[in-house]
Short mmCIF file of all heavy atoms in Angstrom, two decimals:
data_model
loop_
_atom_site.label_atom_id
_atom_site.label_comp_id
_atom_site.label_asym_id
_atom_site.label_seq_id
_atom_site.Cartn_x
_atom_site.Cartn_y
_atom_site.Cartn_z
N LEU W 1 94.98 -78.37 206.33
CA LEU W 1 94.05 -78.40 207.47
C LEU W 1 94.90 -78.58 208.72
O LEU W 1 95.71 -79.55 208.90
CB LEU W 1 93.08 -79.69 207.32
CG LEU W 1 92.10 -79.88 208.45
CD1 LEU W 1 91.12 -78.71 208.46
CD2 LEU W 1 91.40 -81.19 208.12
N THR W 2 94.63 -77.74 209.67
CA THR W 2 95.44 -77.80 210.96
C THR W 2 94.66 -78.53 212.01
O THR W 2 93.52 -78.71 211.91
CB THR W 2 95.70 -76.30 211.44
OG1 THR W 2 94.43 -75.79 211.73
CG2 THR W 2 96.47 -75.56 210.43
N ALA W 3 95.42 -79.01 212.91
CA ALA W 3 94.74 -79.76 214.10
C ALA W 3 93.67 -78.86 214.79
O ALA W 3 92.62 -79.36 215.16
CB ALA W 3 95.80 -80.38 215.00
N SER W 4 94.07 -77.55 214.97
CA SER W 4 93.29 -76.74 215.72
C SER W 4 91.94 -76.49 214.98
O SER W 4 90.83 -76.38 215.57
CB SER W 4 93.78 -75.39 216.05
OG SER W 4 94.23 -74.71 214.86
N ALA W 5 91.98 -76.38 213.75
CA ALA W 5 90.74 -76.07 212.97
C ALA W 5 89.91 -77.45 212.95
O ALA W 5 88.63 -77.28 213.03
CB ALA W 5 91.10 -75.90 211.43
N LEU W 6 90.44 -78.64 212.88
CA LEU W 6 89.70 -79.76 212.96
C LEU W 6 88.94 -79.99 214.38
O LEU W 6 87.85 -80.34 214.52
CB LEU W 6 90.52 -80.98 212.81
CG LEU W 6 89.89 -82.43 212.77
CD1 LEU W 6 88.76 -82.47 211.73
CD2 LEU W 6 90.99 -83.51 212.53
N ASP W 7 89.75 -79.65 215.41
CA ASP W 7 89.20 -79.67 216.77
C ASP W 7 88.04 -78.61 216.89
O ASP W 7 87.04 -78.90 217.54
CB ASP W 7 90.29 -79.23 217.93
CG ASP W 7 91.36 -80.41 217.94
OD1 ASP W 7 91.09 -81.51 217.56
OD2 ASP W 7 92.36 -80.04 218.53
N ARG W 8 88.23 -77.50 216.26
CA ARG W 8 87.14 -76.43 216.42
C ARG W 8 85.89 -76.98 215.66
O ARG W 8 84.75 -76.78 216.19
CB ARG W 8 87.53 -75.17 215.76
CG ARG W 8 86.51 -74.03 216.04
CD ARG W 8 87.00 -72.74 215.47
NE ARG W 8 87.03 -72.71 213.99
CZ ARG W 8 88.10 -72.61 213.16
NH1 ARG W 8 89.35 -72.36 213.77
NH2 ARG W 8 88.07 -72.69 211.95
N TRP W 9 86.02 -77.61 214.42
CA TRP W 9 84.93 -78.03 213.70
C TRP W 9 84.15 -79.25 214.52
O TRP W 9 83.01 -79.17 214.60
CB TRP W 9 85.34 -78.71 212.39
CG TRP W 9 85.80 -77.59 211.39
CD1 TRP W 9 85.52 -76.18 211.58
CD2 TRP W 9 86.49 -77.82 210.25
NE1 TRP W 9 86.03 -75.57 210.45
CE2 TRP W 9 86.61 -76.57 209.57
CE3 TRP W 9 87.00 -79.03 209.55
CZ2 TRP W 9 87.33 -76.47 208.35
CZ3 TRP W 9 87.79 -78.86 208.42
CH2 TRP W 9 87.76 -77.48 207.87
N ILE W 10 84.96 -80.07 215.13
CA ILE W 10 84.33 -81.19 215.91
C ILE W 10 83.69 -80.61 217.13
O ILE W 10 82.47 -81.04 217.43
CB ILE W 10 85.51 -82.28 216.40
CG1 ILE W 10 86.02 -82.94 215.16
CG2 ILE W 10 84.94 -83.10 217.46
CD1 ILE W 10 87.21 -83.77 215.52
N SER W 11 84.25 -79.66 217.74
CA SER W 11 83.54 -78.94 218.93
C SER W 11 82.21 -78.34 218.43
O SER W 11 81.26 -78.44 219.11
CB SER W 11 84.55 -78.06 219.51
OG SER W 11 83.85 -77.17 220.48
N GLN W 12 82.27 -77.61 217.41
CA GLN W 12 81.08 -76.92 216.94
C GLN W 12 80.12 -77.97 216.56
O GLN W 12 78.85 -77.70 216.73
CB GLN W 12 81.34 -76.02 215.76
CG GLN W 12 82.21 -74.85 216.03
CD GLN W 12 82.59 -74.00 214.92
OE1 GLN W 12 82.47 -74.53 213.66
NE2 GLN W 12 83.08 -72.73 215.09
N SER W 13 80.40 -79.04 215.88
CA SER W 13 79.45 -80.14 215.45
C SER W 13 78.85 -80.73 216.82
O SER W 13 77.62 -81.01 216.69
CB SER W 13 80.20 -81.11 214.67
OG SER W 13 79.33 -82.34 214.35
N GLN W 14 79.57 -80.96 217.82
CA GLN W 14 78.92 -81.52 218.89
C GLN W 14 78.12 -80.59 219.65
O GLN W 14 77.07 -80.95 220.20
CB GLN W 14 80.06 -82.03 219.85
CG GLN W 14 80.87 -83.11 219.34
CD GLN W 14 82.11 -83.48 220.17
OE1 GLN W 14 82.58 -82.71 220.91
NE2 GLN W 14 82.73 -84.71 219.91
N GLN W 15 78.37 -79.33 219.70
CA GLN W 15 77.51 -78.23 220.40
C GLN W 15 76.29 -77.99 219.59
O GLN W 15 75.19 -77.87 220.15
CB GLN W 15 78.30 -76.99 220.50
CG GLN W 15 79.47 -77.09 221.53
CD GLN W 15 80.38 -75.88 221.64
OE1 GLN W 15 80.10 -74.91 220.85
NE2 GLN W 15 81.30 -75.86 222.35
N THR W 16 76.34 -77.85 218.24
CA THR W 16 75.10 -77.45 217.53
C THR W 16 74.55 -78.54 216.61
O THR W 16 73.52 -78.32 216.09
CB THR W 16 75.41 -76.11 216.75
OG1 THR W 16 76.33 -76.50 215.73
CG2 THR W 16 75.90 -74.99 217.58
N GLY W 17 75.42 -79.42 216.30
CA GLY W 17 74.85 -80.51 215.45
C GLY W 17 75.07 -80.14 213.96
O GLY W 17 74.49 -80.77 213.10
N SER W 18 75.94 -79.02 213.71
CA SER W 18 75.95 -78.49 212.33
C SER W 18 77.40 -78.11 212.08
O SER W 18 78.13 -77.61 213.00
CB SER W 18 75.03 -77.36 212.13
OG SER W 18 75.16 -76.83 210.85
N PHE W 19 77.80 -78.18 210.85
CA PHE W 19 79.20 -77.62 210.41
C PHE W 19 78.94 -76.35 209.83
O PHE W 19 79.94 -75.65 209.32
CB PHE W 19 79.76 -78.67 209.53
CG PHE W 19 80.28 -79.83 210.11
CD1 PHE W 19 79.63 -81.07 209.85
CD2 PHE W 19 81.35 -79.84 210.91
CE1 PHE W 19 80.04 -82.28 210.47
CE2 PHE W 19 81.72 -81.11 211.51
CZ PHE W 19 81.12 -82.27 211.35
N SER W 20 77.64 -75.88 209.55
CA SER W 20 77.50 -74.59 208.93
C SER W 20 77.83 -73.39 209.80
O SER W 20 77.65 -73.40 210.97
CB SER W 20 75.94 -74.51 208.56
OG SER W 20 75.71 -73.21 208.12
N ALA W 21 78.58 -72.43 209.13
CA ALA W 21 79.03 -71.30 209.93
C ALA W 21 77.76 -70.54 210.46
O ALA W 21 77.92 -69.96 211.55
CB ALA W 21 79.85 -70.42 209.05
N LYS W 22 76.69 -70.44 209.77
CA LYS W 22 75.53 -69.68 210.16
C LYS W 22 75.05 -70.24 211.42
O LYS W 22 74.62 -69.47 212.32
CB LYS W 22 74.41 -69.84 209.03
CG LYS W 22 73.18 -69.09 209.39
CD LYS W 22 72.26 -69.36 208.21
CE LYS W 22 70.85 -68.76 208.62
NZ LYS W 22 69.87 -69.10 207.62
N ASP W 23 75.12 -71.55 211.53
CA ASP W 23 74.58 -72.16 212.85
C ASP W 23 75.49 -72.07 214.02
O ASP W 23 75.03 -72.21 215.18
CB ASP W 23 74.23 -73.73 212.58
CG ASP W 23 73.13 -73.87 211.46
OD1 ASP W 23 72.34 -72.99 211.43
OD2 ASP W 23 73.21 -74.97 210.80
N ASN W 24 76.76 -71.74 213.72
CA ASN W 24 77.71 -71.75 214.79
C ASN W 24 78.15 -70.36 215.31
O ASN W 24 79.13 -70.16 215.96
CB ASN W 24 79.01 -72.62 214.36
CG ASN W 24 78.66 -74.03 214.31
OD1 ASN W 24 78.27 -74.58 215.21
ND2 ASN W 24 78.96 -74.63 213.10
N ARG W 25 77.50 -69.22 214.73
CA ARG W 25 77.75 -67.93 215.13
C ARG W 25 77.23 -67.62 216.49
O ARG W 25 76.19 -68.08 216.76
CB ARG W 25 77.21 -66.96 214.17
CG ARG W 25 77.91 -66.97 212.85
CD ARG W 25 77.41 -65.88 211.94
NE ARG W 25 77.87 -66.02 210.55
CZ ARG W 25 76.99 -66.17 209.59
NH1 ARG W 25 75.68 -65.96 209.67
NH2 ARG W 25 77.50 -66.35 208.39
N THR W 26 77.99 -66.67 217.20
CA THR W 26 77.37 -66.20 218.49
C THR W 26 76.38 -65.21 218.22
O THR W 26 76.30 -64.55 217.08
CB THR W 26 78.49 -65.50 219.26
OG1 THR W 26 79.08 -64.46 218.63
CG2 THR W 26 79.66 -66.57 219.55
N PRO W 27 75.49 -64.81 219.19
CA PRO W 27 74.54 -63.81 218.95
C PRO W 27 75.17 -62.43 218.62
O PRO W 27 74.59 -61.64 217.84
CB PRO W 27 73.80 -63.77 220.30
CG PRO W 27 73.97 -64.99 220.89
CD PRO W 27 75.34 -65.53 220.39
N GLU W 28 76.27 -62.08 219.20
CA GLU W 28 77.02 -60.90 218.85
C GLU W 28 77.49 -60.84 217.39
O GLU W 28 77.39 -59.88 216.75
CB GLU W 28 78.26 -60.76 219.82
CG GLU W 28 77.84 -60.48 221.22
CD GLU W 28 77.60 -61.70 221.95
OE1 GLU W 28 77.95 -62.88 221.56
OE2 GLU W 28 76.98 -61.59 223.08
N GLU W 29 77.95 -62.03 216.94
CA GLU W 29 78.37 -62.09 215.47
C GLU W 29 77.21 -61.91 214.58
O GLU W 29 77.21 -61.27 213.62
CB GLU W 29 79.04 -63.43 215.23
CG GLU W 29 80.37 -63.51 215.91
CD GLU W 29 81.02 -64.90 215.74
OE1 GLU W 29 80.26 -65.89 215.74
OE2 GLU W 29 82.22 -65.03 215.55
N ASN W 30 75.99 -62.47 214.86
CA ASN W 30 74.80 -62.37 214.16
C ASN W 30 74.38 -60.88 214.13
O ASN W 30 73.95 -60.38 213.15
CB ASN W 30 73.65 -63.23 214.72
CG ASN W 30 73.94 -64.73 214.40
OD1 ASN W 30 74.44 -64.99 213.29
ND2 ASN W 30 73.44 -65.56 215.25
N GLU W 31 74.41 -60.22 215.29
CA GLU W 31 74.00 -58.84 215.35
C GLU W 31 74.96 -57.99 214.49
O GLU W 31 74.51 -57.08 213.83
CB GLU W 31 73.91 -58.41 216.82
CG GLU W 31 73.51 -56.96 216.97
CD GLU W 31 73.54 -56.46 218.47
OE1 GLU W 31 73.97 -57.14 219.26
OE2 GLU W 31 72.99 -55.35 218.63
N LEU W 32 76.18 -58.26 214.59
CA LEU W 32 77.20 -57.46 213.76
C LEU W 32 76.93 -57.54 212.30
O LEU W 32 76.99 -56.56 211.65
CB LEU W 32 78.62 -57.94 214.18
CG LEU W 32 79.66 -57.32 213.50
CD1 LEU W 32 79.80 -55.71 213.73
CD2 LEU W 32 81.04 -57.83 213.78
N LEU W 33 76.64 -58.87 211.87
CA LEU W 33 76.35 -59.05 210.47
C LEU W 33 75.09 -58.41 209.95
O LEU W 33 75.09 -57.67 209.01
CB LEU W 33 76.25 -60.55 210.21
CG LEU W 33 77.49 -61.32 210.13
CD1 LEU W 33 77.26 -62.84 210.06
CD2 LEU W 33 78.39 -60.87 209.12
N SER W 34 74.09 -58.40 210.91
CA SER W 34 72.82 -57.69 210.60
C SER W 34 73.02 -56.14 210.46
O SER W 34 72.47 -55.45 209.66
CB SER W 34 71.69 -58.09 211.38
OG SER W 34 71.64 -57.39 212.62
N LEU W 35 73.85 -55.57 211.40
CA LEU W 35 74.08 -54.20 211.37
C LEU W 35 74.92 -53.78 210.20
O LEU W 35 74.73 -52.66 209.64
CB LEU W 35 74.80 -53.79 212.75
CG LEU W 35 73.98 -53.97 214.04
CD1 LEU W 35 74.78 -53.62 215.24
CD2 LEU W 35 72.81 -52.81 213.98
N ARG W 36 75.77 -54.59 209.79
CA ARG W 36 76.60 -54.28 208.59
C ARG W 36 75.72 -54.27 207.45
O ARG W 36 75.91 -53.35 206.53
CB ARG W 36 77.76 -55.30 208.48
CG ARG W 36 78.91 -55.06 209.39
CD ARG W 36 79.92 -56.06 209.11
NE ARG W 36 81.16 -55.79 210.15
CZ ARG W 36 82.06 -56.65 210.30
NH1 ARG W 36 82.12 -57.89 209.67
NH2 ARG W 36 83.11 -56.38 211.07
N LYS W 37 74.76 -55.22 207.28
CA LYS W 37 73.95 -55.15 206.18
C LYS W 37 73.04 -53.99 206.15
O LYS W 37 72.78 -53.36 205.12
CB LYS W 37 73.03 -56.51 206.19
CG LYS W 37 73.68 -57.73 205.83
CD LYS W 37 72.82 -58.90 205.93
CE LYS W 37 73.50 -60.25 205.64
NZ LYS W 37 72.73 -61.38 205.73
N GLU W 38 72.51 -53.57 207.26
CA GLU W 38 71.68 -52.32 207.42
C GLU W 38 72.38 -51.17 207.05
O GLU W 38 71.94 -50.21 206.41
CB GLU W 38 71.19 -52.29 208.83
CG GLU W 38 70.20 -51.09 208.95
CD GLU W 38 69.53 -51.03 210.43
OE1 GLU W 38 69.90 -51.76 211.23
OE2 GLU W 38 68.76 -50.08 210.58
N VAL W 39 73.73 -51.04 207.45
CA VAL W 39 74.53 -49.89 207.13
C VAL W 39 74.75 -49.88 205.68
O VAL W 39 74.67 -48.76 205.04
CB VAL W 39 75.87 -49.95 207.91
CG1 VAL W 39 76.91 -48.98 207.23
CG2 VAL W 39 75.71 -49.58 209.34
N GLN W 40 75.01 -51.02 205.05
CA GLN W 40 75.14 -51.06 203.49
C GLN W 40 73.91 -50.56 202.87
O GLN W 40 74.04 -49.76 201.92
CB GLN W 40 75.63 -52.46 203.10
CG GLN W 40 75.78 -52.62 201.66
CD GLN W 40 76.17 -53.97 201.23
OE1 GLN W 40 75.98 -54.96 201.97
NE2 GLN W 40 76.74 -54.16 200.03
N ARG W 41 72.78 -51.11 203.33
CA ARG W 41 71.39 -50.64 202.64
C ARG W 41 71.20 -49.16 202.85
O ARG W 41 70.84 -48.45 201.83
CB ARG W 41 70.34 -51.48 203.28
CG ARG W 41 68.96 -51.08 202.75
CD ARG W 41 67.92 -51.95 203.38
NE ARG W 41 67.80 -51.48 204.84
CZ ARG W 41 67.15 -50.46 205.42
NH1 ARG W 41 66.54 -49.61 204.55
NH2 ARG W 41 67.12 -50.10 206.67
N LEU W 42 71.53 -48.63 204.08
CA LEU W 42 71.30 -47.15 204.25
C LEU W 42 72.26 -46.34 203.40
O LEU W 42 71.87 -45.24 202.93
CB LEU W 42 71.57 -46.89 205.67
CG LEU W 42 70.32 -47.42 206.65
CD1 LEU W 42 70.75 -47.18 208.13
CD2 LEU W 42 69.04 -46.79 206.32
N ARG W 43 73.47 -46.78 203.20
CA ARG W 43 74.38 -46.05 202.36
C ARG W 43 73.83 -46.12 200.86
O ARG W 43 74.02 -45.02 200.26
CB ARG W 43 75.88 -46.64 202.39
CG ARG W 43 76.58 -46.36 203.65
CD ARG W 43 77.89 -46.91 203.73
NE ARG W 43 78.60 -46.48 204.97
CZ ARG W 43 79.68 -47.19 205.42
NH1 ARG W 43 80.08 -48.31 204.84
NH2 ARG W 43 80.17 -46.83 206.51
N MET W 44 73.40 -47.18 200.44
CA MET W 44 72.80 -47.26 199.10
C MET W 44 71.60 -46.36 198.98
O MET W 44 71.52 -45.61 197.96
CB MET W 44 72.50 -48.68 198.74
CG MET W 44 73.56 -49.54 198.44
SD MET W 44 73.20 -51.27 198.08
CE MET W 44 71.58 -51.36 197.55
N GLU W 45 70.75 -46.25 199.91
CA GLU W 45 69.54 -45.44 199.85
C GLU W 45 70.06 -43.97 199.87
O GLU W 45 69.48 -43.12 199.19
CB GLU W 45 68.69 -45.63 201.00
CG GLU W 45 67.89 -46.91 201.09
CD GLU W 45 67.02 -47.20 202.24
OE1 GLU W 45 66.94 -46.34 203.21
OE2 GLU W 45 66.46 -48.34 202.41
N ASN W 46 71.04 -43.62 200.67
CA ASN W 46 71.53 -42.26 200.76
C ASN W 46 72.14 -41.86 199.41
O ASN W 46 71.91 -40.73 198.90
CB ASN W 46 72.69 -42.17 201.85
CG ASN W 46 72.87 -40.79 202.13
OD1 ASN W 46 72.20 -39.83 201.88
ND2 ASN W 46 74.01 -40.59 202.92
N ASP W 47 72.92 -42.74 198.67
CA ASP W 47 73.41 -42.56 197.45
C ASP W 47 72.27 -42.27 196.46
O ASP W 47 72.42 -41.36 195.60
CB ASP W 47 74.34 -43.63 196.96
CG ASP W 47 75.66 -43.68 197.59
OD1 ASP W 47 75.88 -42.65 198.32
OD2 ASP W 47 76.25 -44.77 197.59
N ILE W 48 71.19 -43.03 196.39
CA ILE W 48 70.10 -42.90 195.52
C ILE W 48 69.43 -41.49 195.78
O ILE W 48 69.06 -40.73 194.87
CB ILE W 48 69.07 -43.96 195.70
CG1 ILE W 48 69.66 -45.27 195.23
CG2 ILE W 48 67.77 -43.68 195.00
CD1 ILE W 48 68.84 -46.57 195.51
N LEU W 49 69.26 -41.11 197.08
CA LEU W 49 68.53 -39.79 197.41
C LEU W 49 69.57 -38.59 196.89
O LEU W 49 68.98 -37.68 196.48
CB LEU W 49 68.38 -39.76 198.85
CG LEU W 49 67.20 -40.59 199.35
CD1 LEU W 49 67.11 -40.67 200.81
CD2 LEU W 49 65.85 -40.26 198.80
N LYS W 50 70.76 -38.74 197.01
CA LYS W 50 71.65 -37.80 196.54
C LYS W 50 71.58 -37.52 195.01
O LYS W 50 71.50 -36.43 194.56
CB LYS W 50 73.11 -38.09 196.93
CG LYS W 50 73.45 -37.87 198.32
CD LYS W 50 74.97 -38.20 198.68
CE LYS W 50 75.27 -38.11 200.11
NZ LYS W 50 76.78 -38.44 200.29
N GLN W 51 71.50 -38.61 194.28
CA GLN W 51 71.42 -38.60 192.87
C GLN W 51 70.07 -37.99 192.44
O GLN W 51 70.01 -37.18 191.62
CB GLN W 51 71.55 -39.92 192.25
CG GLN W 51 72.96 -40.43 192.35
CD GLN W 51 73.15 -41.97 191.91
OE1 GLN W 51 72.17 -42.56 191.43
NE2 GLN W 51 74.36 -42.55 191.87
N ALA W 52 69.02 -38.36 193.13
CA ALA W 52 67.64 -37.83 192.90
C ALA W 52 67.59 -36.27 193.20
O ALA W 52 67.06 -35.52 192.45
CB ALA W 52 66.65 -38.56 193.70
N ALA W 53 68.35 -35.85 194.21
CA ALA W 53 68.35 -34.44 194.58
C ALA W 53 69.18 -33.70 193.58
O ALA W 53 68.63 -32.62 193.16
CB ALA W 53 69.03 -34.14 196.01
N LEU W 54 70.19 -34.30 192.94
CA LEU W 54 70.91 -33.68 191.85
C LEU W 54 70.02 -33.56 190.58
O LEU W 54 69.92 -32.49 189.98
CB LEU W 54 72.06 -34.44 191.60
CG LEU W 54 73.30 -34.27 192.54
CD1 LEU W 54 74.46 -35.17 192.19
CD2 LEU W 54 73.80 -32.77 192.68
N ILE W 55 69.30 -34.50 190.27
CA ILE W 55 68.45 -34.60 189.07
C ILE W 55 67.28 -33.50 189.37
O ILE W 55 66.96 -32.68 188.41
CB ILE W 55 67.86 -35.83 188.81
CG1 ILE W 55 69.01 -36.82 188.41
CG2 ILE W 55 66.76 -35.93 187.80
CD1 ILE W 55 68.58 -38.33 188.29
N MET W 56 66.70 -33.50 190.43
CA MET W 56 65.67 -32.57 190.87
C MET W 56 66.09 -31.16 190.74
O MET W 56 65.30 -30.17 190.36
CB MET W 56 64.87 -32.93 192.03
CG MET W 56 64.16 -34.28 192.04
SD MET W 56 63.02 -34.46 190.73
CE MET W 56 61.58 -33.92 191.70
N GLY W 57 67.31 -30.89 191.26
CA GLY W 57 67.95 -29.57 191.24
C GLY W 57 68.04 -28.94 189.93
O GLY W 57 68.11 -27.77 189.72
N ARG W 58 68.34 -29.74 188.82
CA ARG W 58 68.57 -29.34 187.51
C ARG W 58 67.24 -28.90 186.88
O ARG W 58 67.29 -28.08 185.99
CB ARG W 58 69.23 -30.50 186.66
CG ARG W 58 70.56 -30.84 187.01
CD ARG W 58 71.08 -31.92 186.13
NE ARG W 58 72.13 -32.66 186.70
CZ ARG W 58 72.63 -33.79 186.38
NH1 ARG W 58 71.98 -34.47 185.47
NH2 ARG W 58 73.65 -34.34 186.90
N LYS W 59 66.14 -29.41 187.31
CA LYS W 59 64.93 -28.98 186.63
C LYS W 59 64.28 -27.71 187.17
O LYS W 59 64.46 -27.27 188.03
CB LYS W 59 63.93 -30.20 186.78
CG LYS W 59 64.34 -31.42 186.06
CD LYS W 59 63.25 -32.50 186.25
CE LYS W 59 63.71 -33.66 185.43
NZ LYS W 59 62.79 -34.73 185.34
#
């Protein structure tokens, strides 16, 4: 444990009253996380549609 990490935790606790990373994220970090989740979901949907198109093309 470094002194800087401890100082950061104390500062975050004083600002938000929580040690949870979720409570201490900036709005930009929250938006980035939600966009990454959406991209992952869309990629999975795209893969499913590609597989369905291959199956339908065989029939």
Side-chain angles (χ1 to χ4, degrees):
L1 180 65
T2 63
S4 62
L6 182 60
D7 289 341
R8 187 178 71 242
W9 290 345
I10 291 170
S11 172
Q12 288 175 345
S13 173
Q14 290 173 345
Q15 290 174 359
T16 63
S18 175
F19 289 107
S20 172
K22 179 182 173 185
D23 296 333
N24 291 305
R25 289 187 195 122
T26 64
E28 291 83 13
E29 289 172 326
N30 286 330
E31 182 180 9
L32 180 61
L33 286 173
S34 82
L35 290 172
R36 284 180 178 167
K37 286 180 184 178
E38 184 178 359
V39 165
Q40 182 182 13
R41 182 183 60 82
L42 291 171
R43 284 182 178 157
M44 285 178 22
E45 288 178 5
N46 196 15
D47 289 341
I48 291 169
L49 290 172
K50 284 180 184 177
Q51 291 173 1
L54 287 173
I55 292 171
M56 296 301 268
R58 291 183 197 157
K59 293 184 179 183

